[in-house]
Amino acid sequence: MIVDFALIMFVALLATGLIWALDAAVLAPRRATRHAALVAQGADGAVLERSARQPIVVEYARAFFPVILIVFLLRSFLVEPFRIPSGSMLPSLLVGDFILVNKFTYGVRLPILNKKIVSLNEPQRGDVMVFRFPDNPSDNYIKRVVGLPGDRIGYRDKQLFVNGKAMRREPALSTSDAGDRFMGAKQYVEDLDGAKHAILLSPNVQQEPMEFVVPTGQYFVMGDNRDHSNDSRYWGTVPDENVVGKAFLVWFSWDHSGSGGVNWRRIGSAIE
């Protein structure tokens, strides 16, 4: 089950805001009137203090409302954190990486409704993009954009073609340990028209040749771990309305291999 944190935060924001507003408009004036009456009656200090005190629920609402509002606005319009749960983006992203996603680089969208209200940049070939899975929008996926609207994408013999042009790849000069997690996988550097990034290919995994034309307003995405990624080759393209944002930074990483622990080398690394 996927938890929609944006919806939870919106409900919490609405609840705390309504409690604060109700207190300011109705309850606080009543307390002030009652307090004034007790003063006129000569009530002792303890009684007066209790009569002026805010209910505990109002105190919490006043304390949490501005915090929830700031976090909600940051997550909705600026940056949002995500965790990498699978190896489909190896070697670029590891299982256990915690990343930040730029929410406004592709435009401003209304939270909850996910409707774009201001268009800015469009996704570019080579971008690492987070999006809502077309077949189940409650799931967030992360893949690399390889096809733009109108592109003809081909994939045969583990070679990517864009509009009939083979995207050059070369064996990586230096490799990470990502290939060890998929026995026999080899690491390459692929050049997507100037956007260079690492990919993994498993020679023992075969795939039928494929060719697609990317519809208007949609994007073709693939995982960098080419032979172990559930992507546009199998379920189609990503509509623009499903786009969440562009991944740009690993802010924390927990190494799930071996004995585990914090992967200090990856913290603060840019996502390319």
Side-chain angles (χ1 to χ4, degrees):
M1 179 179 179
I2 301 298
V3 178
D4 191 335
F5 288 104
L7 180 59
I8 292 174
M9 292 185 66
F10 179 74
V11 171
L13 183 67
L14 188 63
T16 54
L18 287 175
I19 291 171
W20 192 357
L22 177 64
D23 180 71
V26 179
L27 302 181
R30 289 181 180 176
R31 286 198 304 274
T33 301
R34 185 166 59 252
H35 182 76
L38 290 172
V39 170
Q41 296 171 10
D44 61 38
V47 173
L48 293 176
E49 182 181 353
R50 286 196 300 271
S51 69
R53 185 182 304 158
Q54 290 180 334
I56 189 68
V57 66
V58 175
E59 290 184 12
Y60 278 119
R62 287 173 60 92
F64 284 111
F65 176 81
V67 176
I68 297 173
L69 176 62
I70 291 172
V71 174
F72 180 76
L73 292 176
L74 286 174
R75 283 179 57 103
S76 299
F77 300 109
L78 295 178
V79 294
E80 184 172 359
F82 288 90
R83 182 181 67 85
I84 303 301
S86 73
S88 70
M89 284 296 291
L90 286 168
S92 304
L93 294 173
L94 308 184
V95 178
D97 279 351
F98 290 78
I99 65 171
L100 292 180
V101 173
N102 186 324
K103 298 292 291 288
F104 65 87
T105 189
Y106 299 140
V108 178
R109 299 173 186 267
L110 291 175
I112 311 300
L113 299 177
N114 298 306
K115 181 178 178 59
K116 184 185 289 187
I117 55 175
V118 177
S119 293
L120 296 174
N121 305 306
E122 301 296 332
Q124 300 298 307
R125 202 183 328 278
D127 286 359
V128 177
M129 185 173 76
V130 172
F131 56 92
R132 291 177 291 113
F133 183 41
D135 291 345
N136 183 6
S138 64
D139 284 347
N140 288 308
Y141 272 34
I142 182 167
K143 305 291 179 185
R144 191 176 298 275
V145 178
V146 300
L148 305 178
D151 282 348
R152 188 174 77 258
I153 304 298
Y155 193 71
R156 54 185 179 272
D157 297 327
K158 301 186 185 297
Q159 176 68 61
L160 175 65
F161 296 83
V162 178
N163 298 321
K165 176 184 176 183
M167 296 293 99
R168 187 176 62 184
R169 70 166 190 256
E170 299 176 349
L173 296 178
S174 61
T175 61
S176 67
D177 62 350
D180 296 338
R181 307 179 189 197
F182 290 87
M183 297 301 294
K186 295 183 179 180
Q187 187 167 325
Y188 296 82
V189 175
E190 184 177 69
D191 188 341
L192 290 175
D193 287 340
K196 295 183 178 181
H197 63 100
I199 62 172
L200 284 182
L201 296 176
S202 300
N204 59 329
V205 177
Q206 302 301 319
Q207 183 178 359
E208 293 294 322
M210 298 180 179
E211 187 163 308
F212 308 82
V213 175
V214 184
T216 300
Q218 305 206 24
Y219 301 93
F220 192 95
V221 297
M222 295 177 71
D224 290 346
N225 191 359
R226 290 288 165 78
D227 296 306
H228 301 276
S229 172
N230 180 26
D231 51 41
S232 289
R233 291 171 290 177
Y234 307 104
W235 42 256
T237 49
V238 178
D240 183 73
E241 57 264 27
N242 285 52
V243 172
V244 173
K246 179 181 178 180
F248 69 95
L249 184 74
V250 176
W251 66 270
F252 184 74
S253 183
W254 182 265
D255 189 357
H256 282 261
S257 65
S259 59
V262 178
N263 192 339
W264 296 102
R265 292 181 301 172
R266 294 190 58 76
I267 296 177
S269 59
I271 298 174
E272 298 178 350

